[in-house]
Amino acid sequence: MSINDGLVERYLAVWNEPDADRRRKEVAEIWAEDGLYANTGREFHGHEGILEAVTEAYDEFVAQGFAFRLHAHAENHNTARITWNMAPRSGGDVAARGTQYLVFAEDGRIRTDHQFPEEI
């Protein structure tokens, strides 16, 4: 999978996905089985760990009326950078912004995903 295969849209959609079964399916398709997602507070390993992180973000932000939206992205060989904004779903000022640095496995799924919050 690469950005050209719609990864950016799928990546952001999984964080906004209300259906728990669909989130589980998307995590398995987007991240490698032994993938790593790391934010500034914790590391999450494998599909179950990454699903835990996605669900926590959904419950804390999306279920409370926010949405994650694309700000910018770029691809460089087997890596990518995705910058996103989090803002009220109904519109309004950006409440948070972050950048994800992704490294892809041989099969195109995400091997590592590191989040860096940014000041807005």
Side-chain angles (χ1 to χ4, degrees):
M1 183 182 309
S2 73
I3 286 182
N4 295 330
D5 295 326
L7 176 67
V8 171
E9 293 80 10
R10 289 182 70 196
Y11 182 89
L12 289 171
V14 74
W15 297 92
N16 291 305
E17 178 57 55
D19 183 277
D21 290 333
R22 183 154 175 94
R23 278 197 306 265
R24 177 177 296 282
K25 177 183 177 294
E26 288 295 311
V27 164
E29 291 180 5
I30 293 171
W31 281 270
E33 281 185 52
D34 62 347
L36 165 72
Y37 166 76
N39 59 33
T40 56
R42 291 180 59 196
E43 289 186 1
F44 300 85
H45 297 269
H47 289 160
E48 289 303 313
I50 294 166
L51 180 62
E52 177 185 351
V54 171
T55 300
E56 285 178 6
Y58 179 85
D59 291 344
E60 187 173 347
F61 302 112
V62 180
Q64 304 307 315
F66 290 94
F68 296 101
R69 296 187 178 109
L70 178 65
H71 177 72
H73 67 81
E75 187 174 7
N76 184 347
H77 300 280
N78 71 327
T79 64
R81 174 185 45 84
I82 299 172
T83 304
W84 48 264
N85 292 328
M86 184 185 76
R89 192 173 24 254
S90 59
D93 293 337
V94 172
R97 175 175 292 152
T99 297
Q100 307 299 133
Y101 289 98
L102 312 176
V103 176
F104 299 104
E106 289 292 320
D107 66 3
R109 293 185 293 171
I110 299 168
R111 164 85 56 219
T112 63
D113 176 354
H114 288 84
Q115 180 188 81
F116 294 85
E118 299 178 13
E119 291 192 32
I120 52 171

